Amino acid sequence: MMDSFAGFGLCEDRCVAISFGVLKFPQRPAVHEQRRVTRLCYAWLLNRTAHTVKCQELRSGKKELRLLTLIERSGQFVLGVLANPDAVVTSPVPQLSIPIDKHFHMVRVNGGVKLPFVVLCPSLSATVRVRVQGEKSPELLLELQDDERSHSFLAQVKKAKLQVKSKNLMNRRPHPLDPFPSGIDQDGSLKPGSSTTTVHQPRPVNITSSNKLSTAGPQDLVASLALDFGFEERLDHGLKIEEKKNHQNREVPLRGPAPLLPPRRPPPLPPSSTTPLSRPLRAPPVQNKEVFRIRDPRPSMDTTRVQQGGILTNGTSRYGGLSKQAGQRDGLIKHHLLKKEQEYVDISDFRFFVGTWNVNGQSPDCSLRPWLSCDPQPPDIYALGFQELDLSVETFFFNDSPREQQWLEAVEQALHDKAKYVLVRMVRLVGMMLVVFVNKKHEGHIQDVAAETVGTGIVGKMGNKGGVAVRFVFHNTSFCFVNSHLAAHVDDFERRNQDYRDICARMSFHLPRRTPFNINKHDVIIWLGDLNYRLCLYDAYEVKKLISQKQLKKLQEYDQLIQQRQTRRAFSDFVEGEINFIPTYKFDPKTDRWDSSGKCRVPAWCDRILWRGSGVKQLLYRSHMQLQTSDHKPVSAVFGIGVKVVNEQRYKQLFEEIMRTVDRMENDFLPSLSLTQTDFTFDNVRFWQPQRNHLFLTNDGQVPCQFAFIPKPRSSHYCKPWLKADPCEGFLDPSESLEILLEVHVNKDAVARLNSGEDTLDDILILHLDGGKDYFITVTGKYLPSCFGTSLEKLSKTRKPIRENHIPKLIDLVRFEGSTPLTMQTVAELACFLTFPSLMVTPYFQEGLFQNPGLQDEVDAIIDCLDTSIPYTIPGCHDSVAEALLIFLEVLPEPVVCYRLYQQCLDSAHDSRLCRQVVSQLPGPHGEVFRYLMTFLKELLKQRHSNHLNANFIATLFASLLIRPPPLVSRQTPQDRQKATTFILGFLMGGAEEL
């Protein structure tokens, strides 16, 4: 290592080596001595050579001190980027070094314009900004002082680059049509206009102590270097988001022996995976209670299993669709195994304990054993749902809560003592949590575990209401447990019905090598939670009197859930056991007294457990009055469920028989399909309103056939975002027919491109038949433009309703520079019409505004009204109008606070004067809408004693809509979200001068 000292003129006895930007201390002296020596090294470098210069790195709006050093060894040049001396001393880390070769680029940035460094003109400012990038290093934005030393250093870098370029030209055979690589000038710098901002998965270069340049190979080294220099978000952001999603939904098989299956031919091996083992799903189990956690979430790749429905595959169940990588032969075998499942399965009974409790935001204050261990016989599986786990605003918006771990530990301590349990899965959305445990002796028979969440709160996605679910396959039977918290209030049973329908429609499970599938595609479904259905009786005294007289049957005649099931408006296919316990809501917390508050809520059976499926027998259905933590009482049900268990010997015989049949058929026939039509037209497609059509397939061949919609060349998905085919793949026997639902739905992800003319309602679906030909299906439609998803600039330049302008006209409007007033006078009145007159008359006293979702039919009517006319009244209730306003703000192509002012907005959040300056820079329509909204929200908050609105809640909600990060910026951090909330809160709590 000592030749490193010679390069810098340092002596060995200083115990410091600077090796191409790496500071090393062979022996660790006192911190102050390290800092002193390191500062001496930096000072020596700055004073002795022009090849070193101070600079600052600009990252995420912050500036951090760096030291640039140009190093030459054996004719090779390296640009060293050293960190702050104090940071290096307190936490010694490798520093970034960038080889100056043909891939090295240094570009000067002048007011957003990139200039090649052949022009080193004096700057009008006191600093010079440059972008630096190497082949395997992340792009850096550096700021240098505009002085003689900086210009000298940049000239030396340019000279080094030219020397490298000259060597490359001497060693390269000239090509008459390509004197220099694309986008690179003769001096090796980027030409003006060349793209330098996109860096795909860069890998830094590590300068080792032996003074040799080596590419960092291991992934952990790449992550470490990126972390050291703060590039972790640029390097790993996309990967982290995808990994987080996959971590929530990937299959989680349990350890255990796999069934012995002897197929004649082994199934195709799945593609190899290099994904490392994930961390444990939860923290280690609490002491004094033997509870185990699943540690390995990866599926076993070398084990062929019989899954639900008798399908022979790795991680495939009967309802999830067929693997795209499986051949027609494997698909045919699976299909026949499914049809003959009864020939090789036996039914065995298992005991399931299902519980639900709305805990009203409380922490556990007593043992849960009276609830979870009240039976002498231990269950085989626990499924426990909680609602209102945490009622804080932070949990509502950011889904972070310390109560999760508290309640999980309380559950683990209260599980039955006569068995040991394994945590199968836990899933939480805001206050809804669902945990599933299995008896440890059965863990080897749990497969295909997945979890999913659906929010049905405001804007149809907030997690204050909605559902969470866990699904898995136990032996050969698929189970789905759904824990939901539906809309509140006595008269809002239609909203509860809508929440139920939304959860059923939007809950979609994802497993590796499987197409998504929904709740209904399971053998057994158990639905639990605070369903919030009340009694259609408004006299609390009369209800309590009937309860005291034990006339529960009489009360149940007024139960809304029973009525909705009987009229088939919700839960029509579900079964509920006989209710022999008193209502579980509402009590004074910590007591057994009915609600004595001013509202004096009418008692009701809000907490329910229902099921659907064959072989299910409810053994117990009860409440647990001993627990007084909440204003609800916990409810539990015990089920005896017949589960399909594979008989290995009979399975083997059937499998071999099917194989022989397939062998005979394989060479004799070819598959064929007939389609009812290949051209579909959707007329008058509107934003937010899906349209559906039906395609019927018939197998007109002599053999079973497997079909799937496949992506077009250079596409990753088989259709555009606004189109969906369900099912997108399947299997048909000869003469069998199947209906495919084609749905066109212009949602927030597609509306902006359709409004702007960047996309149109036309697509071609490719229906691929394994072993046969491809069929082409054309889908076209007429899209009706909407003010939802149209920019404020375009809206401010039209005189008439948006539907009366064709798409080309809307495109031309953005180029119009004149000031044409809206018929509604200003764009601000657009937001006004979402609230006037419906909201402005009585909204200030409306409880739950911006917290309860609107009715879908009313929201559709409001959108249609605004798109087709300039209304004087808006249809719908307050909640529907409020939701329409939030949807309008959410789907704006550019938010009210423009992308270019996003960072300035965050930086100004602490200072009201700076905040006003940001608002003053907003373009006309954006500024008017912002000022109107703040005025309206301030008026709402003045009546907070009546509407119970919270300023932090309103600020957080509207900050997420008005202040959104630009598309190319990494995801918003919690700190940035808090700054955005503070920015809005300053206007809501300030005086009139703030606007």
Side-chain angles (χ1 to χ4, degrees), residues 322-499:
L322 303 175
S323 170
K324 289 183 172 62
Q325 299 177 354
Q328 185 180 21
R329 180 186 181 88
D330 297 318
L332 183 60
I333 295 171
K334 298 169 191 174
H335 178 68
H336 281 284
L337 285 171
L338 169 61
K339 295 184 68 174
K340 298 184 178 183
E341 180 185 43
Q342 293 182 351
E343 298 183 19
Y344 60 86
V345 298
D346 298 318
I347 303 299
S348 299
D349 289 333
F350 292 87
R351 190 177 181 91
F352 287 68
F353 182 101
V354 180
T356 177
W357 193 9
N358 183 321
V359 297
N360 193 31
Q362 303 299 312
S363 298
D365 58 0
C366 63
S367 172
L368 305 185
R369 294 185 61 81
W371 177 32
L372 304 182
S373 299
C374 57
D375 300 317
Q377 183 178 352
D380 296 294
I381 289 180
Y382 277 100
L384 307 174
F386 295 88
Q387 306 85 40
E388 295 189 3
L389 198 74
D390 195 329
L391 301 178
S392 65
V393 175
E394 292 77 15
T395 301
F396 180 77
F397 284 102
F398 307 133
N399 203 25
D400 295 327
S401 172
R403 301 272 169 80
E404 172 186 306
Q405 188 63 26
Q406 295 173 9
W407 280 101
L408 184 61
E409 292 178 355
V411 167
E412 290 175 342
Q413 292 173 348
L415 297 179
H416 209 290
D417 285 333
K418 294 182 180 180
K420 300 176 182 178
Y421 291 92
V422 172
L423 176 62
V424 176
R425 195 60 183 271
M426 189 212 74
V427 60
R428 182 176 63 83
L429 176 65
V430 187
M432 295 172 287
M433 184 172 79
L434 177 63
V435 292
V436 177
F437 291 88
V438 63
N439 192 319
K440 195 173 188 302
K441 67 181 180 181
H442 301 310
E443 63 176 340
H445 301 291
I446 295 283
Q447 304 157 6
D448 286 357
V449 181
E452 192 54 75
T453 65
V454 168
T456 62
I458 190 68
V459 198
K461 68 176 185 179
M462 290 295 187
N464 57 321
K465 295 294 188 291
V468 296
V470 171
R471 64 91 53 197
F472 56 86
V473 175
F474 183 41
H475 284 283
N476 223 48
T477 300
S478 63
F479 289 86
C480 182
F481 293 91
V482 184
N483 171 31
S484 66
H485 190 190
L486 307 185
H489 306 302
V490 175
D491 297 326
D492 284 343
F493 58 87
E494 281 295 345
R495 279 201 179 88
R496 290 187 273 280
N497 296 345
Q498 179 175 309
D499 286 350

Side-chain angles (χ1 to χ4, degrees), residues 6 51 191 287 291 297 323-324 352 385 423 427 529 540 544 619 690 727 841 853-854 982 988:
H51 298 346
K191 294 178 181 179
Q287 296 179 353
V291 179
S323 170
K324 289 183 172 62
F352 287 68
L423 176 62
V427 60
K544 294 173 184 177
L619 306 178
V841 175
T982 302
L988 297 182

Side-chain angles (χ1 to χ4, degrees), residues 619-899:
L619 306 178
L620 296 168
Y621 193 24
R622 62 218 167 164
S623 65
H624 300 266
M625 300 297 294
Q626 306 95 312
L627 299 179
Q628 301 177 345
T629 305
S630 171
D631 57 354
H632 290 248
K633 298 297 182 181
V635 172
S636 70
V638 177
F639 296 94
I641 302 178
V643 176
K644 294 177 288 189
V645 179
V646 174
N647 183 296
E648 302 296 343
Q649 184 177 359
R650 298 204 304 268
Y651 173 83
K652 176 182 176 181
Q653 295 173 354
L654 179 62
F655 181 83
E656 292 179 347
E657 178 185 334
I658 293 174
M659 290 289 288
R660 288 192 293 269
T661 303
V662 172
D663 286 339
R664 290 194 301 267
M665 297 172 55
E666 215 167 35
N667 297 323
D668 297 336
F669 305 99
L670 290 176
S672 176
L673 280 179
S674 64
L675 286 66
T676 52
Q677 64 184 105
T678 56
D679 295 296
F680 292 86
T681 301
F682 293 82
D683 294 325
N684 299 329
V685 177
R686 297 173 172 85
F687 168 67
W688 211 254
Q689 300 180 32
Q691 289 190 27
R692 300 173 180 87
N693 214 325
H694 304 272
L695 167 66
F696 292 90
L697 308 181
T698 302
N699 184 348
D700 56 2
Q702 302 182 54
V703 293
C705 62
Q706 180 179 340
F707 69 88
F709 289 98
I710 62 173
K712 294 176 281 293
R714 296 182 297 278
S715 297
S716 59
H717 198 54
Y718 69 87
C719 64
K720 291 186 177 180
W722 44 264
L723 179 60
K724 183 177 72 172
D726 184 28
C728 63
E729 61 182 15
F731 208 98
L732 289 174
D733 277 329
S735 302
E736 185 180 1
S737 297
L738 176 69
E739 177 186 8
I740 293 181
L741 184 67
L742 297 179
E743 180 182 89
V744 171
H745 185 198
V746 179
N747 55 21
K748 64 186 182 69
D749 299 321
V751 63
R753 289 177 56 82
L754 289 169
N755 282 339
S756 64
E758 298 176 54
D759 194 8
T760 56
L761 288 184
D762 61 85
D763 198 4
I764 297 177
L765 299 177
I766 303 177
L767 181 62
H768 175 70
L769 188 60
D770 275 357
K773 63 179 182 179
D774 291 343
Y775 300 84
F776 297 90
I777 301 168
T778 303
V779 179
T780 59
K782 178 184 177 183
Y783 173 66
L784 301 180
S786 175
C787 60
F788 289 72
T790 300
S791 69
L792 295 178
E793 286 78 9
K794 292 179 183 178
L795 289 175
S796 68
K797 295 181 175 69
T798 180
R799 298 172 178 268
K800 49 190 177 182
I802 200 79
R803 290 275 173 83
E804 299 181 21
N805 289 292
H806 297 296
I807 294 291
K809 178 64 176 175
L810 288 176
I811 299 173
D812 293 339
L813 287 175
V814 78
R815 306 189 188 100
F816 181 66
E817 299 297 336
S819 178
T820 304
L822 273 171
T823 310
M824 296 181 291
Q825 302 301 321
T826 66
V827 178
E829 293 189 36
L830 177 62
C832 175
F833 276 112
L834 289 170
T835 51
F836 268 123
S838 299
L839 290 185
M840 280 302 191
V841 175
T842 60
Y844 300 138
F845 307 99
Q846 175 73 27
E847 185 176 354
L849 196 65
F850 296 119
Q851 299 177 43
N852 299 321
L855 294 174
Q856 188 61 51
D857 293 341
E858 293 182 356
V859 174
D860 292 342
I862 293 169
I863 295 174
D864 233 27
C865 180
L866 291 169
D867 287 341
T868 56
S869 63
I870 301 173
Y872 292 97
T873 60
I874 294 292
C877 65
H878 297 307
D879 290 327
S880 298
V881 178
E883 180 166 358
L885 171 61
L886 298 183
I887 294 172
F888 173 79
L889 296 174
E890 183 185 23
V891 301
L892 283 173
E894 183 163 12
V896 174
V897 177
C898 304
Y899 287 136

Side-chain angles (χ1 to χ4, degrees), residues 879-980:
D879 290 327
S880 298
V881 178
E883 180 166 358
L885 171 61
L886 298 183
I887 294 172
F888 173 79
L889 296 174
E890 183 185 23
V891 301
L892 283 173
E894 183 163 12
V896 174
V897 177
C898 304
Y899 287 136
R900 64 181 177 83
L901 296 175
Y902 172 75
Q903 191 59 50
Q904 185 178 348
C905 170
L906 300 184
D907 295 340
S908 307
H910 65 284
D911 190 323
S912 59
R913 179 183 59 83
L914 296 177
C915 292
R916 291 195 298 272
Q917 290 181 4
V918 172
V919 174
S920 68
Q921 298 178 51
L922 293 175
H926 291 256
E928 291 172 357
V929 171
F930 183 88
R931 293 183 182 91
Y932 170 77
L933 287 173
M934 293 301 105
T935 301
F936 171 71
L937 295 175
K938 289 176 68 172
E939 292 298 320
L940 275 180
L941 291 174
K942 288 180 181 178
Q943 305 297 330
R944 62 172 68 95
H945 62 279
S946 299
N947 55 38
H948 302 296
L949 286 176
N950 180 275
N952 285 325
F953 169 81
I954 292 295
T956 306
L957 173 61
F958 278 85
S960 67
L961 301 173
L962 304 181
I963 308 173
R964 304 199 301 266
L968 297 180
V969 171
S970 59
R971 65 186 178 93
Q972 202 173 33
T973 64
Q975 293 79 10
D976 288 345
R977 288 196 295 263
Q978 184 58 49
K979 290 179 181 179

